[in-house]
Amino acid sequence: MSFIKRDLPVVISFILGIIVITQYFWIDPTLTITSTTIQGWAVVIWAFMMSIGVINIFIRETRSIISKKAGQWYYSIIIVVFLSCMILTGIIGTTNNPIYLYLFNNFNIPINQAVASLLAFFTISAAFRAFKARSLEVLVLLFSACVVLLGNVPIGSTISWTIPWTRDWILNVPNLAYSRGINAGAALGILGLGIRTLLGYQRSAYGMGAEE
Amino acid sequence: MPFATGRVFMFALLSLFSFFILMSLQLAKKTRVNVRPIPALDSLHECVGRAVELGRPVHWTTGYGSAMHGGGGLLSPALISGLAIFTHIARLCAQMGAELYATFCVAELMPPAMQAVREIYSVEGKEELFKSQNFIYFSPSQFAYATGVISFMETQQVATNILCGQLQDECILLAETGATIGAVQVGGGGQYAYLMITCQYLLIGEEFYTAAAYLSQDQAQLGSIRGQDFGKITVIFLFLGLSILLMLGIDLTGVFKI
Amino acid sequence: MTEKSIFSKLDNIDRRILWLIFIAFCSIPVFYPLGLPITVTKPTLDLVNAIKALPDGSKIFFEDDYTPLGHQEVTPECIAIVRLLISKKMYIVFASFYTPEAALWPPYIFNVALSKEVEAANYKYGVNYAFLGFIPGGDTSVSAFCLKIRQVANVDYYGTPLDQLPIMNNFEKIQDFNFCVTSGSTGLAGMLSQMQAPYKMPMVILCMGNDYSNMVRYYQAGAIKGLTSGLRGAAEIEMALNTPGEGMSSMDIVQGGFLLLVTFIIIGNISYFVAKYRSKPLQEGNKR
């Protein structure tokens, strides 16, 4: 039992991982079909895993309605009603169902866009609160942020030709240097993480916390 | 030849780096490996302690990284690394008696996360502290998830906010809310610009992906970090060597296209 | 007990006041547009020229992967490029791999935003263009799609089998396309690693503003032929093609927001330093 629970997931991951990696470099019809089948299985498993999240939402919100959780239960009713509606209309008529499309286009998208616009407001308050020149590094950050912001809009070049020029230099020289260096290191970190996970040194992805 | 054209050099580099990492993994079982301290990871103990003192919970979130939405899901290295940091925090919370909450945008991460934490609490002898209702899935939709987490953080007044996962644009919403409620924040794996201005501790680049190895303090895993450093030295020499040759008029960049 | 000065109050101002000022300031250009000229940068010019250099009737794979957040920034870019593609009578196939909502944008672009251009060019669905909709699986599905399209997509967005669409008779794998336009945010790295790198697919990227700094290194390295980002990118494309649209008209509002942000940063720093100076204890002679 210990092998099935502890080592079998690692063995399966290792074998499947090696097949998919090998297929990337070695063109063989059998290997290609095997690899794409494995990747297709992954998509199907992910699709089923979505249902776990939906069940979690249903259970939590239904509990909230039944216990009449103060300040929450009426929102829970709205969540359960809309969730059920989207699932049912999506199943009955697929995503071309007019009711599904109506709800998606007229509720989901505008609400998403409205919430997404919060980004601008949060950025404003974060910048006001955090961009205080407490040290030399923050001063440099502050200067770069202001120049790049102004260089991104037409008024920057109207104020001075140096602003868009400095913006381009900041983006193409120090930013690029940081980006390449950090990403090269991160890529090696990801390779190391992959090797440790496939060989079973790191088991948190398999749901084994006590092994760490 | 059935070898894919244009990928020979890539395969050679991958083999070389993998060799470095595997060799260092094996050698580290015999020799001691010292890794420089990573302040963000060393601070996790202090962050959980702060939550215990204040009597407020610790919170971890996955970020918007579902497989269905471009993040790669459980295959995403950022989520695997975030999960490893989460299990370490769960161990600290079990030992120190802090309440732990985890919010998810990635449904496929919930079962391994819950299983790992349940095991940890069992090993620490604190099974009664484990609560499955503390694992909250909001939505696979980026901003529905973000607003859910914001509302949760403000209601619970979290003392410690760990933003380590596959974070994208929503991280400014989460991090700014954490900063407003006075939570101490550790960030990694997301938009560094946003995290830097809102988090007290930050894991940048490789630090984030080697977090599990660093936190485990297992010599074999720390050895793999040394192997990564050999890879970095190779890359540096490649950059410098090819740049110098290019300046001398010798263009070897065609090697990359083999 | 010390009375709080205006600077220390400013240092701790309620963020909702900042937000109200922001809304008010950004509303001004809606009524009084400035219309300042926009400079077209080299990455955008290269993007436009790469598409203009393609022969008429080329086969374009258009990948769009952005959420409603990206809709505001990326759709104007896509509209400007699709207008150019239609003018060159290109065959266009749309698909999304990372974001389910992204399947809605191509029908919006063709049936709403560019309906007049589509009608004038006599563009027919299934003959000149097709929407494959959302293909789940992320990098996995991109990789499989490149090898064999029908492995991951058998029907289009409307549920019609691909064999019933005349345009799809030309496409079995990714190499059957001449060019790729990648737009959005979530799938950029995946498209580069799964489509551009292994198959050396000529590619341009239309991305969101905050992805530019990550993508510019691929442009610098020559992996992509052109790059543009955000509403400014849309405005630049419109400027380069001389087809004013949503990008150019939105630049004034973007400009107002950025100016206000810079002003807040300056005011925040002034109030911080003055409050800090005044909080120092007085020394002999009433000096700090």
Side-chain angles (χ1 to χ4, degrees), chain B residues 1-2 14 23 34 48-49 52 79 81 84 93-96 105-106 129 132 151 159 161 169 172 177 203 214 239 241:
Chain B
M1 189 170 170
L14 177 67
M23 183 189 69
N34 288 315
V48 174
V52 173
L79 280 176
S81 211
C93 288
Q95 288 166 358
M96 296 162 88
C105 182
V106 186
L129 290 181
S132 60
S151 163
N161 194 21
D169 292 321
I172 185 65
T177 306
L203 291 161
Y214 181 88
F239 278 166

PDB file of all heavy atoms in Angstrom, chain B residues 1-2 14 23 34 48-49 52 79 81 84 93-96 105-106 129 132 151 159 161 169 172 177 203 214 239 241:
ATOM      1  N   MET B   1      17.226  11.271 -40.521  1.00  0.00           N
ATOM      2  CA  MET B   1      17.392  11.108 -39.083  1.00  0.00           C
ATOM      3  C   MET B   1      16.137  11.621 -38.368  1.00  0.00           C
ATOM      4  O   MET B   1      15.668  12.696 -38.665  1.00  0.00           O
ATOM      5  CB  MET B   1      18.605  11.933 -38.643  1.00  0.00           C
ATOM      6  CG  MET B   1      18.976  11.656 -37.209  1.00  0.00           C
ATOM      7  SD  MET B   1      20.547  12.392 -36.820  1.00  0.00           S
ATOM      8  CE  MET B   1      20.554  12.156 -35.071  1.00  0.00           C
ATOM      9  N   PRO B   2      15.589  10.816 -37.451  1.00  0.00           N
ATOM     10  CA  PRO B   2      14.322  11.224 -36.842  1.00  0.00           C
ATOM     11  C   PRO B   2      14.455  12.322 -35.809  1.00  0.00           C
ATOM     12  O   PRO B   2      13.464  12.718 -35.224  1.00  0.00           O
ATOM     13  CB  PRO B   2      13.824   9.934 -36.191  1.00  0.00           C
ATOM     14  CG  PRO B   2      15.019   9.107 -35.993  1.00  0.00           C
ATOM     15  CD  PRO B   2      15.997   9.470 -37.038  1.00  0.00           C
ATOM     16  N   LEU B  14      20.009  21.124 -22.800  1.00  0.00           N
ATOM     17  CA  LEU B  14      19.137  20.497 -21.797  1.00  0.00           C
ATOM     18  C   LEU B  14      19.863  19.321 -21.142  1.00  0.00           C
ATOM     19  O   LEU B  14      19.826  19.156 -19.914  1.00  0.00           O
ATOM     20  CB  LEU B  14      17.840  20.023 -22.465  1.00  0.00           C
ATOM     21  CG  LEU B  14      16.828  19.285 -21.579  1.00  0.00           C
ATOM     22  CD1 LEU B  14      16.251  20.219 -20.536  1.00  0.00           C
ATOM     23  CD2 LEU B  14      15.696  18.697 -22.412  1.00  0.00           C
ATOM     24  N   MET B  23      24.205  15.333 -11.278  1.00  0.00           N
ATOM     25  CA  MET B  23      25.518  15.056 -10.671  1.00  0.00           C
ATOM     26  C   MET B  23      25.620  15.738  -9.310  1.00  0.00           C
ATOM     27  O   MET B  23      26.066  15.143  -8.326  1.00  0.00           O
ATOM     28  CB  MET B  23      26.611  15.578 -11.612  1.00  0.00           C
ATOM     29  CG  MET B  23      28.008  15.287 -11.145  1.00  0.00           C
ATOM     30  SD  MET B  23      29.224  16.158 -12.150  1.00  0.00           S
ATOM     31  CE  MET B  23      28.953  17.852 -11.715  1.00  0.00           C
ATOM     32  N   ASN B  34      26.259  24.616   0.940  1.00  0.00           N
ATOM     33  CA  ASN B  34      25.810  25.843   1.607  1.00  0.00           C
ATOM     34  C   ASN B  34      25.155  26.764   0.588  1.00  0.00           C
ATOM     35  O   ASN B  34      25.752  27.106  -0.428  1.00  0.00           O
ATOM     36  CB  ASN B  34      27.000  26.563   2.250  1.00  0.00           C
ATOM     37  CG  ASN B  34      27.495  25.814   3.465  1.00  0.00           C
ATOM     38  OD1 ASN B  34      26.716  25.369   4.290  1.00  0.00           O
ATOM     39  ND2 ASN B  34      28.801  25.644   3.542  1.00  0.00           N
ATOM     40  N   VAL B  48       4.488  33.906  10.429  1.00  0.00           N
ATOM     41  CA  VAL B  48       3.464  33.078  11.068  1.00  0.00           C
ATOM     42  C   VAL B  48       3.393  33.422  12.559  1.00  0.00           C
ATOM     43  O   VAL B  48       2.308  33.483  13.148  1.00  0.00           O
ATOM     44  CB  VAL B  48       3.756  31.577  10.845  1.00  0.00           C
ATOM     45  CG1 VAL B  48       2.791  30.713  11.631  1.00  0.00           C
ATOM     46  CG2 VAL B  48       3.672  31.234   9.362  1.00  0.00           C
ATOM     47  N   GLY B  49       4.549  33.673  13.171  1.00  0.00           N
ATOM     48  CA  GLY B  49       4.571  34.074  14.579  1.00  0.00           C
ATOM     49  C   GLY B  49       3.789  35.343  14.818  1.00  0.00           C
ATOM     50  O   GLY B  49       3.078  35.479  15.818  1.00  0.00           O
ATOM     51  N   VAL B  52       0.156  34.611  14.952  1.00  0.00           N
ATOM     52  CA  VAL B  52      -0.233  33.995  16.229  1.00  0.00           C
ATOM     53  C   VAL B  52      -0.378  35.073  17.305  1.00  0.00           C
ATOM     54  O   VAL B  52      -1.353  35.083  18.068  1.00  0.00           O
ATOM     55  CB  VAL B  52       0.808  32.937  16.660  1.00  0.00           C
ATOM     56  CG1 VAL B  52       0.499  32.417  18.058  1.00  0.00           C
ATOM     57  CG2 VAL B  52       0.843  31.790  15.675  1.00  0.00           C
ATOM     58  N   LEU B  79       3.066  27.180  -9.762  1.00  0.00           N
ATOM     59  CA  LEU B  79       2.083  26.632  -8.823  1.00  0.00           C
ATOM     60  C   LEU B  79       2.688  25.515  -7.990  1.00  0.00           C
ATOM     61  O   LEU B  79       2.377  25.388  -6.809  1.00  0.00           O
ATOM     62  CB  LEU B  79       0.854  26.124  -9.575  1.00  0.00           C
ATOM     63  CG  LEU B  79      -0.140  27.207  -9.989  1.00  0.00           C
ATOM     64  CD1 LEU B  79      -1.260  26.625 -10.811  1.00  0.00           C
ATOM     65  CD2 LEU B  79      -0.692  27.937  -8.790  1.00  0.00           C
ATOM     66  N   SER B  81       5.792  25.272  -7.117  1.00  0.00           N
ATOM     67  CA  SER B  81       6.638  25.943  -6.139  1.00  0.00           C
ATOM     68  C   SER B  81       5.805  26.624  -5.062  1.00  0.00           C
ATOM     69  O   SER B  81       6.136  26.575  -3.873  1.00  0.00           O
ATOM     70  CB  SER B  81       7.500  26.980  -6.866  1.00  0.00           C
ATOM     71  OG  SER B  81       8.718  27.134  -6.228  1.00  0.00           O
ATOM     72  N   ALA B  84       4.628  24.106  -2.648  1.00  0.00           N
ATOM     73  CA  ALA B  84       5.698  23.694  -1.729  1.00  0.00           C
ATOM     74  C   ALA B  84       5.855  24.709  -0.588  1.00  0.00           C
ATOM     75  O   ALA B  84       6.021  24.329   0.575  1.00  0.00           O
ATOM     76  CB  ALA B  84       7.017  23.556  -2.493  1.00  0.00           C
ATOM     77  N   CYS B  93       2.252  26.653  10.772  1.00  0.00           N
ATOM     78  CA  CYS B  93       0.966  26.965  11.414  1.00  0.00           C
ATOM     79  C   CYS B  93       0.560  25.849  12.368  1.00  0.00           C
ATOM     80  O   CYS B  93       0.032  26.115  13.454  1.00  0.00           O
ATOM     81  CB  CYS B  93      -0.123  27.162  10.353  1.00  0.00           C
ATOM     82  SG  CYS B  93       0.041  28.702   9.431  1.00  0.00           S
ATOM     83  N   ALA B  94       0.816  24.600  11.956  1.00  0.00           N
ATOM     84  CA  ALA B  94       0.486  23.473  12.830  1.00  0.00           C
ATOM     85  C   ALA B  94       1.329  23.531  14.097  1.00  0.00           C
ATOM     86  O   ALA B  94       0.833  23.318  15.202  1.00  0.00           O
ATOM     87  CB  ALA B  94       0.719  22.154  12.095  1.00  0.00           C
ATOM     88  N   GLN B  95       2.602  23.842  13.950  1.00  0.00           N
ATOM     89  CA  GLN B  95       3.509  23.880  15.111  1.00  0.00           C
ATOM     90  C   GLN B  95       3.183  25.039  16.048  1.00  0.00           C
ATOM     91  O   GLN B  95       3.257  24.914  17.269  1.00  0.00           O
ATOM     92  CB  GLN B  95       4.965  23.998  14.636  1.00  0.00           C
ATOM     93  CG  GLN B  95       5.496  22.728  14.010  1.00  0.00           C
ATOM     94  CD  GLN B  95       6.802  22.944  13.256  1.00  0.00           C
ATOM     95  OE1 GLN B  95       7.311  24.066  13.171  1.00  0.00           O
ATOM     96  NE2 GLN B  95       7.359  21.886  12.700  1.00  0.00           N
ATOM     97  N   MET B  96       2.815  26.202  15.454  1.00  0.00           N
ATOM     98  CA  MET B  96       2.636  27.404  16.271  1.00  0.00           C
ATOM     99  C   MET B  96       1.183  27.688  16.614  1.00  0.00           C
ATOM    100  O   MET B  96       0.887  28.599  17.389  1.00  0.00           O
ATOM    101  CB  MET B  96       3.246  28.611  15.538  1.00  0.00           C
ATOM    102  CG  MET B  96       4.760  28.449  15.388  1.00  0.00           C
ATOM    103  SD  MET B  96       5.444  29.534  14.127  1.00  0.00           S
ATOM    104  CE  MET B  96       5.778  30.965  15.059  1.00  0.00           C
ATOM    105  N   CYS B 105      -7.865  29.665  -7.188  1.00  0.00           N
ATOM    106  CA  CYS B 105      -8.467  29.924  -8.492  1.00  0.00           C
ATOM    107  C   CYS B 105      -8.297  28.656  -9.335  1.00  0.00           C
ATOM    108  O   CYS B 105      -8.901  28.517 -10.388  1.00  0.00           O
ATOM    109  CB  CYS B 105      -7.763  31.101  -9.154  1.00  0.00           C
ATOM    110  SG  CYS B 105      -8.437  31.582 -10.748  1.00  0.00           S
ATOM    111  N   VAL B 106      -7.421  27.768  -8.854  1.00  0.00           N
ATOM    112  CA  VAL B 106      -7.039  26.572  -9.609  1.00  0.00           C
ATOM    113  C   VAL B 106      -7.647  25.354  -8.927  1.00  0.00           C
ATOM    114  O   VAL B 106      -7.149  24.904  -7.903  1.00  0.00           O
ATOM    115  CB  VAL B 106      -5.496  26.450  -9.631  1.00  0.00           C
ATOM    116  CG1 VAL B 106      -5.068  25.301 -10.516  1.00  0.00           C
ATOM    117  CG2 VAL B 106      -4.860  27.736 -10.084  1.00  0.00           C
ATOM    118  N   LEU B 129      -6.972  20.599  14.413  1.00  0.00           N
ATOM    119  CA  LEU B 129      -6.862  21.959  13.888  1.00  0.00           C
ATOM    120  C   LEU B 129      -7.126  22.036  12.392  1.00  0.00           C
ATOM    121  O   LEU B 129      -7.349  23.116  11.848  1.00  0.00           O
ATOM    122  CB  LEU B 129      -5.465  22.541  14.166  1.00  0.00           C
ATOM    123  CG  LEU B 129      -5.153  22.864  15.618  1.00  0.00           C
ATOM    124  CD1 LEU B 129      -3.748  23.443  15.726  1.00  0.00           C
ATOM    125  CD2 LEU B 129      -6.153  23.850  16.205  1.00  0.00           C
ATOM    126  N   SER B 132     -11.358  21.559   6.644  1.00  0.00           N
ATOM    127  CA  SER B 132     -11.460  21.569   5.179  1.00  0.00           C
ATOM    128  C   SER B 132     -12.173  22.823   4.678  1.00  0.00           C
ATOM    129  O   SER B 132     -11.962  23.257   3.544  1.00  0.00           O
ATOM    130  CB  SER B 132     -12.174  20.313   4.684  1.00  0.00           C
ATOM    131  OG  SER B 132     -13.466  20.272   5.230  1.00  0.00           O
ATOM    132  N   SER B 151     -12.421  40.397  -0.673  1.00  0.00           N
ATOM    133  CA  SER B 151     -13.500  40.415   0.316  1.00  0.00           C
ATOM    134  C   SER B 151     -13.133  39.523   1.501  1.00  0.00           C
ATOM    135  O   SER B 151     -13.322  39.899   2.670  1.00  0.00           O
ATOM    136  CB  SER B 151     -14.780  39.927  -0.365  1.00  0.00           C
ATOM    137  OG  SER B 151     -15.722  39.552   0.593  1.00  0.00           O
ATOM    138  N   ALA B 159      -3.396  38.502   8.964  1.00  0.00           N
ATOM    139  CA  ALA B 159      -2.178  39.138   9.478  1.00  0.00           C
ATOM    140  C   ALA B 159      -1.002  38.890   8.540  1.00  0.00           C
ATOM    141  O   ALA B 159      -0.086  39.710   8.462  1.00  0.00           O
ATOM    142  CB  ALA B 159      -1.852  38.592  10.860  1.00  0.00           C
ATOM    143  N   ASN B 161      -0.009  37.478   4.609  1.00  0.00           N
ATOM    144  CA  ASN B 161      -0.542  37.194   3.281  1.00  0.00           C
ATOM    145  C   ASN B 161       0.588  36.653   2.404  1.00  0.00           C
ATOM    146  O   ASN B 161       1.565  37.359   2.148  1.00  0.00           O
ATOM    147  CB  ASN B 161      -1.100  38.497   2.694  1.00  0.00           C
ATOM    148  CG  ASN B 161      -1.973  38.262   1.495  1.00  0.00           C
ATOM    149  OD1 ASN B 161      -2.488  37.164   1.310  1.00  0.00           O
ATOM    150  ND2 ASN B 161      -2.142  39.272   0.671  1.00  0.00           N
ATOM    151  N   ASP B 169      -2.269  39.740 -13.469  1.00  0.00           N
ATOM    152  CA  ASP B 169      -2.663  41.130 -13.214  1.00  0.00           C
ATOM    153  C   ASP B 169      -3.412  41.317 -11.906  1.00  0.00           C
ATOM    154  O   ASP B 169      -3.405  42.404 -11.332  1.00  0.00           O
ATOM    155  CB  ASP B 169      -3.539  41.645 -14.360  1.00  0.00           C
ATOM    156  CG  ASP B 169      -2.746  41.773 -15.643  1.00  0.00           C
ATOM    157  OD1 ASP B 169      -1.575  42.189 -15.553  1.00  0.00           O
ATOM    158  OD2 ASP B 169      -3.273  41.463 -16.718  1.00  0.00           O
ATOM    159  N   ILE B 172      -2.019  42.959  -8.152  1.00  0.00           N
ATOM    160  CA  ILE B 172      -2.046  44.310  -7.589  1.00  0.00           C
ATOM    161  C   ILE B 172      -3.269  44.480  -6.691  1.00  0.00           C
ATOM    162  O   ILE B 172      -3.189  45.134  -5.640  1.00  0.00           O
ATOM    163  CB  ILE B 172      -1.996  45.399  -8.699  1.00  0.00           C
ATOM    164  CG1 ILE B 172      -1.904  46.810  -8.104  1.00  0.00           C
ATOM    165  CG2 ILE B 172      -3.192  45.352  -9.598  1.00  0.00           C
ATOM    166  CD1 ILE B 172      -0.669  47.119  -7.362  1.00  0.00           C
ATOM    167  N   THR B 177      -4.653  45.286  -1.283  1.00  0.00           N
ATOM    168  CA  THR B 177      -5.605  45.057  -0.191  1.00  0.00           C
ATOM    169  C   THR B 177      -4.865  44.588   1.048  1.00  0.00           C
ATOM    170  O   THR B 177      -5.146  45.046   2.160  1.00  0.00           O
ATOM    171  CB  THR B 177      -6.662  44.019  -0.598  1.00  0.00           C
ATOM    172  OG1 THR B 177      -7.285  44.426  -1.809  1.00  0.00           O
ATOM    173  CG2 THR B 177      -7.702  43.837   0.479  1.00  0.00           C
ATOM    174  N   LEU B 203      10.303  37.085  -3.519  1.00  0.00           N
ATOM    175  CA  LEU B 203      11.112  36.019  -4.104  1.00  0.00           C
ATOM    176  C   LEU B 203      11.225  36.296  -5.598  1.00  0.00           C
ATOM    177  O   LEU B 203      10.214  36.303  -6.296  1.00  0.00           O
ATOM    178  CB  LEU B 203      10.450  34.653  -3.883  1.00  0.00           C
ATOM    179  CG  LEU B 203      10.417  34.156  -2.454  1.00  0.00           C
ATOM    180  CD1 LEU B 203       9.369  33.090  -2.290  1.00  0.00           C
ATOM    181  CD2 LEU B 203      11.780  33.608  -2.067  1.00  0.00           C
ATOM    182  N   TYR B 214      15.169  24.817  -0.705  1.00  0.00           N
ATOM    183  CA  TYR B 214      15.753  25.625   0.382  1.00  0.00           C
ATOM    184  C   TYR B 214      15.041  25.355   1.699  1.00  0.00           C
ATOM    185  O   TYR B 214      15.660  25.204   2.757  1.00  0.00           O
ATOM    186  CB  TYR B 214      15.662  27.100   0.007  1.00  0.00           C
ATOM    187  CG  TYR B 214      16.250  28.045   1.021  1.00  0.00           C
ATOM    188  CD1 TYR B 214      17.597  28.377   0.984  1.00  0.00           C
ATOM    189  CD2 TYR B 214      15.461  28.616   2.013  1.00  0.00           C
ATOM    190  CE1 TYR B 214      18.151  29.242   1.909  1.00  0.00           C
ATOM    191  CE2 TYR B 214      16.001  29.487   2.937  1.00  0.00           C
ATOM    192  CZ  TYR B 214      17.332  29.800   2.884  1.00  0.00           C
ATOM    193  OH  TYR B 214      17.874  30.669   3.807  1.00  0.00           O
ATOM    194  N   PHE B 239      27.241  33.426 -23.336  1.00  0.00           N
ATOM    195  CA  PHE B 239      26.910  34.818 -23.674  1.00  0.00           C
ATOM    196  C   PHE B 239      28.180  35.595 -24.005  1.00  0.00           C
ATOM    197  O   PHE B 239      28.292  36.227 -25.048  1.00  0.00           O
ATOM    198  CB  PHE B 239      26.232  35.531 -22.484  1.00  0.00           C
ATOM    199  CG  PHE B 239      24.754  35.276 -22.346  1.00  0.00           C
ATOM    200  CD1 PHE B 239      24.107  35.604 -21.178  1.00  0.00           C
ATOM    201  CD2 PHE B 239      24.020  34.713 -23.363  1.00  0.00           C
ATOM    202  CE1 PHE B 239      22.738  35.374 -21.030  1.00  0.00           C
ATOM    203  CE2 PHE B 239      22.665  34.479 -23.228  1.00  0.00           C
ATOM    204  CZ  PHE B 239      22.022  34.812 -22.047  1.00  0.00           C
ATOM    205  N   GLY B 241      31.329  34.530 -24.508  1.00  0.00           N
ATOM    206  CA  GLY B 241      32.125  33.987 -25.610  1.00  0.00           C
ATOM    207  C   GLY B 241      31.549  34.341 -26.973  1.00  0.00           C
ATOM    208  O   GLY B 241      32.260  34.844 -27.860  1.00  0.00           O
TER     209      GLY B 241
END
